[in-house]
Amino acid sequence: MQVSIEFLITSLIVVVSPGSGVIYTVATGLSLGTKDSFIAATGCTLGIIPHLLASMLGLAVIFHTSAHAFNVLKVIGAIYLLYMAWMSLREKGILHFEAKEGANSTVKIIGYAILINLFNPKLPLFLLAFLPQFISAHTTTPMRDMLELSAIFMLITQVVFMLYGAFAALMRRRVLEQPAVLKWLRRIFAIGFVGLSIKLLFSSR
């Protein structure tokens, strides 16, 4: 299976966009340092696995049902992305954090990070509505292709979250507390969500 550049770019945009996992990883980096932020990033990545398993079951349905069902799912995904864009513009102080007491052990950090991503509503919808777009409708091994894309998505998540955590630990509040920087970040993430929504609406199986 050949991985498309479109898949890599789409995954990167979604992973980079501020979500609960990013927030926790950055917060850990700000309050506890680089090492603990890497642990948080690993926990958030592990929290993706349950959503991947659910998405693989949904993939089988998509490949064996009508085009109408696929289109309905596509519209739902686009609407949700527009909602995420609106939330990115509306949310205030998204990168402002306080230290979390009692979160300095590896077990606690990983456990909390897994729970954060486990209950993140963005993940299952993204995985189910987007990953199948990058799998050929003529493939004879859709599940294997899904596993490969899932592994790449998790690797991107791990690396990006670690970069977030390292940056937060290094820069601390000198950058993250500047209102102008946060304002432009929210705008960039919102534009990314809108672009993904448009791409999804005009995509095909």
Side-chain angles (χ1 to χ4, degrees):
M1 175 186 176
Q2 185 176 1
V3 179
S4 67
I5 188 65
E6 290 82 5
F7 169 75
L8 296 176
I9 293 175
T10 302
S11 297
L12 182 60
I13 291 175
V14 172
V15 172
V16 168
S17 62
S20 56
V22 169
I23 290 174
Y24 181 62
T25 302
V26 172
T28 303
L30 289 172
S31 59
L32 300 176
T34 303
K35 178 182 176 181
D36 287 322
S37 73
F38 287 178
I39 295 174
T42 300
C44 289
T45 302
L46 293 175
I48 298 175
I49 294 178
H51 297 302
L52 291 177
L53 295 177
S55 299
M56 289 177 65
L57 295 176
L59 177 64
V61 175
I62 292 175
F63 271 84
H64 293 89
T65 54
S66 67
H68 177 70
F70 181 81
N71 288 332
V72 169
L73 184 61
K74 188 168 63 173
V75 171
I76 293 174
I79 292 174
Y80 185 77
L81 284 174
L82 291 176
Y83 168 75
M84 291 299 295
W86 180 78
M87 289 298 294
S88 295
L89 292 174
R90 295 278 298 177
E91 202 158 358
K92 304 297 183 181
I94 192 171
L95 296 180
H96 179 74
F97 307 98
E98 298 177 354
K100 290 176 169 53
E101 297 181 359
N104 57 351
S105 73
T106 300
V107 174
K108 287 183 178 179
I109 293 174
I110 290 181
Y112 191 38
I114 289 176
L115 288 177
I116 284 177
N117 257 3
L118 188 62
F119 296 110
N120 182 356
K122 180 179 71 174
L123 276 174
L125 188 56
F126 164 73
L127 295 172
L128 183 59
F130 284 80
L131 290 188
Q133 293 183 70
F134 302 99
I135 298 177
S136 172
H138 305 291
T139 184
T140 58
T141 57
M143 290 302 176
R144 189 187 69 184
D145 293 348
M146 184 70 167
L147 282 174
E148 292 178 1
L149 291 180
S150 299
I152 295 173
F153 180 77
M154 290 182 66
L155 177 60
I156 293 174
T157 299
Q158 177 74 25
V159 172
V160 169
F161 279 25
M162 289 176 68
L163 289 175
Y164 263 122
F167 175 78
L170 178 65
M171 301 303 293
R172 297 291 174 176
R173 304 181 186 276
R174 288 180 296 176
V175 172
L176 298 178
E177 284 191 343
Q178 295 184 25
V181 174
L182 297 179
K183 183 178 181 180
W184 277 105
L185 282 176
R186 286 195 294 269
R187 290 177 178 177
I188 291 172
F189 293 135
I191 291 173
F193 280 125
V194 172
L196 287 172
S197 178
I198 294 174
K199 178 182 182 299
L200 178 57
L201 284 175
F202 286 94
S203 66
S204 58
R205 267 184 62 179

